[in-house]
Amino acid sequence: MTQEQLSSIILPKHIGIIMDGNGRWATRRGLERSEGHKAGANAFRRICDYGADLGIEYMTFYAFSTENWRRPPKEVAAIMKLFRDYLEEANEREKENESRGLRFHLIGERKGLPSDIISRLDTLEKNSADKKVMTVNLAINYGGRDEIVHAFRELARKAKNGAVNPDKITEEDIADNLFTAGQPDPDLIIRPSGEYRLSNFMTWQSAYSEFWFSDILWPDFTTDDLDRAILDYCHRNRRFGGV
Ligand code: FPP
């Protein structure tokens, strides 16, 4: 995006991305699906850093859903290795003070993830907590409905011990008990790979999001594609139910 374009638009504050199409990308090249995920992880690095350069405040990347455990064990293991490698690399950047100002946050269930990944995530969250350029939500072992169930359980617990009056529960109370508590809802949700669905991504938070779909497979997604999605979004007329 040119400086001129950048100065003439209001950027979305929060962008969510469903990183889809890794498997097809690999199959079309006669490669193992895990190679597609590897290329997908590189696209994630590229788009995450570029989003921060543009001045996006929050980006959420859907990396592994609560349903993805149904994939063949070999593929799940390959994806977990990519998480491990990336978390290691990001922790190293923090240690060397070479971070780009990214604050990392897991949105998803810790329970069920391998313990070494949880501990790498905990370290990264802790060490990047004061970073201000962009918040990166990693949606790993994430499901939108699961997140709502999680919030209901929290609220029910609070109601049981008298901290919350069930008749006074508001939308804000629910939002405050989601993994994204304190964050703005996504303005723009991007799904590449020619699929037109949310697949359990940010079920609560997407109520008024704008959607951008494209046939590009995630490993091929470039910074120009992100520019295109943002510029399209800027021409949308968001009314939030008003006129
Ligand atoms: C969906 O494509 C992609 C996934 C289930 C995994 C996403 C993981 C990454 C991009 C890599 C790691 C990310 C980080 C944060 C380092 P698919 O396999 O469903 O593609 P298909 O629909 O073409 O089969």
Side-chain angles (χ1 to χ4, degrees), residues 19-24 33 37 40-41 44 63 68 71 83 86:
M19 302 188 286
D20 194 16
N22 298 344
R24 276 164 284 168
R33 290 177 59 83
H37 296 310
F44 159 75
N68 285 151
R71 295 186 175 216
F83 294 155
Y86 179 75

Side-chain angles (χ1 to χ4, degrees), residues 64-237:
F64 197 83
S65 74
T66 45
E67 290 73 35
N68 285 151
W69 297 107
R70 297 183 197 139
R71 295 186 175 216
K74 199 173 137 207
E75 182 172 342
V76 171
I79 296 174
M80 292 298 148
K81 178 170 184 320
L82 291 170
F83 294 155
R84 236 171 239 124
D85 291 350
Y86 179 75
L87 293 169
E88 196 66 17
E89 175 189 315
N91 272 320
E92 202 54 42
R93 278 211 245 175
E94 282 299 329
K95 216 165 72 201
E96 304 294 326
N97 245 344
E98 284 171 2
S99 146
R100 306 168 67 103
L102 305 184
R103 182 170 75 112
F104 289 90
H105 179 55
L106 170 74
I107 65 161
E109 294 284 354
R110 282 182 151 68
K111 218 171 95 198
L113 285 170
S115 59
D116 67 301
I117 291 191
I118 299 176
S119 93
R120 283 176 170 96
L121 275 164
D122 286 344
T123 307
L124 187 58
E125 282 189 339
K126 192 160 102 287
N127 293 342
S128 69
D130 60 345
K131 295 298 184 315
K132 301 267 185 300
V133 175
M134 184 172 85
T135 296
V136 181
N137 291 322
L138 298 172
I140 300 178
N141 199 17
Y142 174 86
R145 288 186 173 181
D146 178 75
E147 181 183 33
I148 294 170
V149 169
H150 192 270
F152 267 57
R153 287 196 183 133
E154 277 301 308
L155 284 168
R157 258 191 292 274
K158 289 176 190 166
K160 201 171 161 197
N161 68 28
V164 157
N165 175 349
D167 290 323
K168 299 245 164 82
I169 291 175
T170 61
E171 291 188 8
E172 284 70 33
D173 292 326
I174 295 176
D176 286 347
N177 284 281
L178 299 174
F179 297 127
T180 51
Q183 302 185 9
D185 287 338
D187 303 291
L188 170 63
I189 293 181
I190 296 174
R191 182 166 194 158
S193 96
E195 310 284 358
Y196 301 89
R197 55 179 176 268
L198 264 180
S199 300
N200 210 7
F201 181 61
M202 303 198 99
T203 309
W204 175 273
Q205 301 90 330
S206 61
Y208 284 101
S209 302
E210 295 292 331
F211 294 94
W212 195 82
F213 298 103
S214 139
D215 287 341
I216 303 154
L217 301 176
W218 174 248
D220 290 329
F221 201 90
T222 64
T223 55
D224 284 347
D225 296 317
L226 186 64
D227 284 350
R228 253 188 294 281
I230 292 173
L231 292 170
D232 275 1
Y233 159 85
C234 290
H235 291 108
R236 308 265 178 100
N237 179 7

Side-chain angles (χ1 to χ4, degrees), residues 31-44:
L31 301 169
E32 295 254 357
R33 290 177 59 83
S34 59
E35 287 302 316
H37 296 310
K38 200 160 146 192
N42 288 334
F44 159 75

